[in-house]
Amino acid sequence: MQVVSISSLKGGVGKTSVTLGLASAALAAGIPTLVVDLDPHADATTGLAVSPGNNLGIGDMLRSARRADLAANVVPSGWVETARKQPGNDPKRRPVLDVAMGSAYSGIYDRPDLGKRDLRRLSTLLGKVTGYGLVLIDCPPSLNGLTRMAWSASNRVLLVAEPGLFSVAGTERTMRALDLFRQEFAPNLAPAGIVANRVRPTSNEHTFRLAEMKQMFGDLLMEPNIAEHANWQQIQGAAHSVHHWPGDSAKQAAGSFDALLKNLVQTGSMRNRVMRRPAG
Ligand SMILES: Nc1ncnc2c1ncn2[C@@H]1O[C@H](COP(=O)(O)OP(=O)(O)O)[C@@H](O)[C@H]1O
Ligand SMILES: [Mg+2]
């Protein structure tokens, strides 16, 4: 089971969007996937079209991590039904895309001083589930308790950055934080890489920043980057999978996420990948 945290210390760069895009690609590829929505804003949960019922959100489960039954409280994404109705889909195929729902309550763990025991709460929960090939953890935009809890439970961290000055600088800081965290708490944790999001191919500034990122981060800068898509908010607003949205732009975005997922899974199998520090 590959557990990937999707992180950045900056908000609004596209963590949730990348989580949703990868979840959509995993659903299309038939990889049984769990999305853990660790951001108290619970945007990923909204985007994945879940009907909560009486299931516990992730905050309540974290609180009683030893006793809580994660498998009994995950909720299937509404995208699964749509996937099953797609033309050409084998009705016997039952794709799995589950969600551990986000909740404002998880915010109580988003403190800077979270102790080692608390940091293990998510790994304790995940240690009890089987059957998923991939777990995607959508993190809040900070390096407080929740992100550190996510990193403690992960094999790898995927950083999301926009090709702008502040975002690039922020990514470098996040890489340093990740390096320190790895040394202290999680020797087996590795960066999966950095994905550039909202890239406008015609923007000179973006071209410049992408070249800068390539120079700074080398092959940690993942292929492909994700372009700025005009109808992205509409797709998310409708709580739809990008793979099920009509039109060429959605098709192009879906293709990017297919390729990104493939690269993510491939680099994941390179076990002894040594963490590279940013140059300079
Ligand atoms: N590639 C993209 N193209 C267009 N809009 C995007 C793209 N990625 C993210 N957005 C939009 O930017 C906003 C912030 O993205 P979000 O994924 O919520 O960021 P984060 O989770 O890092 O806070 C959202 O309104 C989202 O729809
Ligand atoms: Mg988010």
Side-chain angles (χ1 to χ4, degrees), residues 133-150:
L134 180 66
V135 178
L136 300 168
I137 309 176
D138 188 21
C139 294
S142 72
L143 193 53
N144 286 334
L146 286 173
T147 294
R148 290 152 62 86
M149 205 187 263

Side-chain angles (χ1 to χ4, degrees), residues 75-88:
V75 182
S77 161
W79 298 358
V80 172
E81 261 319 293
T82 321
R84 293 188 66 205
K85 288 186 201 137
Q86 294 298 300

Side-chain angles (χ1 to χ4, degrees), residues 148-241:
R148 290 152 62 86
M149 205 187 263
W151 288 1
S152 304
S154 298
N155 322 101
R156 304 165 354 96
V157 178
L158 181 64
L159 300 181
V160 183
E162 282 182 341
L165 171 64
F166 297 148
S167 189
V168 173
T171 304
E172 197 178 6
R173 278 199 306 278
T174 316
M175 289 294 283
R176 291 219 186 90
L178 182 57
D179 199 8
L180 287 175
F181 185 85
R182 191 178 65 98
Q183 286 169 30
E184 195 171 348
F185 299 104
N188 296 324
L189 184 67
I194 299 157
V195 57
N197 182 39
R198 299 193 84 150
V199 175
R200 288 194 300 278
T202 52
S203 156
N204 290 339
E205 169 66 10
H206 282 193
T207 309
F208 176 81
R209 292 296 166 200
L210 280 176
E212 185 181 51
M213 287 167 83
K214 185 80 199 161
Q215 201 186 6
M216 278 165 103
F217 304 116
D219 62 3
L220 281 175
L221 184 63
M222 291 193 74
E223 295 282 343
N225 55 46
I226 307 295
E228 167 98 18
H229 286 282
N231 55 359
W232 200 239
Q233 281 172 356
Q234 199 187 352
I235 300 174
Q236 289 177 340
H240 244 74
S241 145

Side-chain angles (χ1 to χ4, degrees), residues 19-70:
T19 305
L20 294 177
L22 289 172
S24 183
L27 177 63
I31 302 172
T33 298
L34 169 67
V35 175
V36 178
D37 188 356
L38 216 53
D39 189 336
H41 288 116
D43 295 335
T45 303
T46 308
L48 284 155
V50 298
S51 317
N54 292 324
N55 297 39
L56 295 178
I58 190 71
D60 286 304
M61 289 193 267
L62 289 172
R63 184 173 53 166
S64 52
R66 290 227 184 122
R67 276 175 290 121
D69 187 350
L70 176 59

